[in-house]
Amino acid sequence: MNKNSIKRIILTTAISVLGITSACAVSFERQEVPDNAPVVGMYRFVIPSELQGVYNSVGVENLTSSMAQEPNTLSMNVAHVKTNPTTSYVIEMYKDGNALDTHRKSEHFQKYVNEVGAKLTNRKLYDVQPMLLMEKTESLSAINDGTSVVSMTEFTIDKNEEDTILKQYQLDIERAVRDDAGYKAGYILRDRNNKTYWYVIQIYSDDAAYKKHVSSPGYRFAMGQIQPYLKNSKTEILQGDILVNHGGQSFVRN
């Protein structure tokens, strides 16, 4: 599948799920899709109170069916802001454009679009590309468990220190994936249009696992090395709703 085909697939999916404006759609379509990297979608939206029940039930069906039926749909994650449960984030990952196309055409995705997608409000599409994607070897299936925690940190980097920042995060996340039972996955994304703006998403089994990681010597050392090169860093703590993956992702952008 060529780059233009992949761009059209992502654009069509974004429009159908998020109802983004035509201006945004055109802008998104023009962006270059990175070669040999998984395709990542990231969205934020508000769920009206009257839609909460169907949003959850149809969302669970869509994402769990994706894991069961789509081997190249790699990871699906939905989490809401702890202090504002109506605001949710979705982060989804596909092996390539063909995998995204397969998901987009699936019956469970079409049901989600028809019953939920068009009714979400305050929608935002993040045009991102992966820098690092790492998961435990075993698959993850945390569905409305009431304990899963997702941290989302965003910041601007010193463009001259990109390699240092990525390497320090890589060392810490590799260690956490390997050694910490409660650390489930770490993903680093960057804005496609502003490559100095990064997002770090990390998934934990519970609040204790999150606190263990951020207080660990490895994490503190990594942060000490890169903190001087970060600007306007802010972290949001999310409650995991649907966190599912096949496990085993290990991608680092060269």
Side-chain angles (χ1 to χ4, degrees):
M1 179 174 288
N2 61 35
K3 290 182 180 180
N4 288 334
S5 297
I6 296 174
K7 284 186 282 189
R8 284 195 296 272
I9 292 168
I10 297 175
L11 175 66
T12 303
T13 301
I15 292 172
S16 63
V17 176
L18 300 173
I20 59 177
T21 67
S22 58
C24 291
V26 171
S27 175
F28 187 46
E29 185 178 30
R30 289 173 180 165
Q31 306 314 314
E32 179 184 359
V33 174
D35 292 333
N36 304 317
V39 174
V40 178
M42 180 170 159
Y43 322 105
R44 186 191 70 207
F45 43 77
V46 171
I47 308 155
S49 56
E50 67 273 14
L51 198 64
Q52 288 280 350
V54 67
Y55 167 78
N56 184 67
S57 61
V58 176
V60 168
E61 179 182 352
N62 176 37
L63 302 193
T64 55
S65 295
S66 297
M67 289 296 104
Q69 302 172 25
E70 303 167 13
N72 292 326
T73 294
L74 305 176
S75 178
M76 295 286 208
N77 306 282
V78 181
H80 66 264
V81 178
K82 276 195 170 185
T83 57
N84 185 9
T86 63
T87 299
S88 284
Y89 289 86
V90 174
I91 301 162
E92 51 190 33
M93 303 175 192
Y94 305 90
K95 181 181 178 181
D96 51 29
N98 286 321
L100 174 57
D101 192 31
T102 296
H103 174 70
R104 184 175 60 88
K105 293 176 179 177
S106 67
E107 182 178 344
H108 46 267
F109 176 73
Q110 291 301 319
K111 180 179 179 180
Y112 171 80
V113 171
N114 293 332
E115 295 191 21
V116 179
K119 301 174 184 178
L120 302 175
T121 62
N122 294 333
R123 297 172 287 262
K124 180 177 180 178
L125 165 69
Y126 296 82
D127 191 3
V128 294
Q129 57 186 173
M131 296 297 289
L132 177 150
L133 308 171
M134 290 189 175
E135 301 164 347
K136 284 202 175 328
T137 302
E138 62 270 19
S139 62
L140 174 64
S141 182
I143 301 172
N144 295 324
D145 62 7
T147 62
S148 297
V149 170
V150 179
S151 67
M152 178 179 293
T153 303
E154 52 188 290
F155 47 75
T156 299
I157 69 165
D158 181 332
K159 64 181 179 180
N160 297 317
E161 300 297 336
E162 176 178 300
D163 291 343
T164 296
I165 295 166
L166 184 59
K167 185 61 177 179
Q168 289 299 325
Y169 263 115
Q170 179 182 350
L171 290 171
D172 178 59
I173 291 174
E174 284 179 337
R175 180 207 59 77
V177 166
R178 182 185 66 242
D179 297 339
D180 294 351
Y183 187 98
K184 302 302 181 181
Y187 306 126
I188 301 178
L189 315 173
R190 72 180 176 191
D191 188 290
R192 196 185 308 273
N193 304 303
N194 176 9
K195 292 182 170 59
T196 63
Y197 202 86
W198 288 22
Y199 303 88
V200 179
I201 297 99
Q202 303 185 83
I203 299 175
Y204 305 88
S205 60
D206 52 31
D207 191 59
Y210 164 71
K211 290 177 179 176
K212 177 183 178 181
H213 178 231
V214 298
S215 63
S216 67
Y219 177 85
R220 292 202 306 269
F221 177 81
M223 292 303 101
Q225 295 296 304
I226 68 176
Q227 202 65 46
Y229 311 124
L230 308 184
K231 297 178 181 178
N232 303 318
S233 179
K234 58 181 180 180
T235 297
E236 196 160 34
I237 303 301
L238 312 177
Q239 177 72 58
D241 295 317
I242 310 168
L243 307 170
V244 291
N245 64 47
H246 293 304
Q249 280 204 85
S250 183
F251 167 82
V252 182
R253 181 173 295 276
N254 295 323

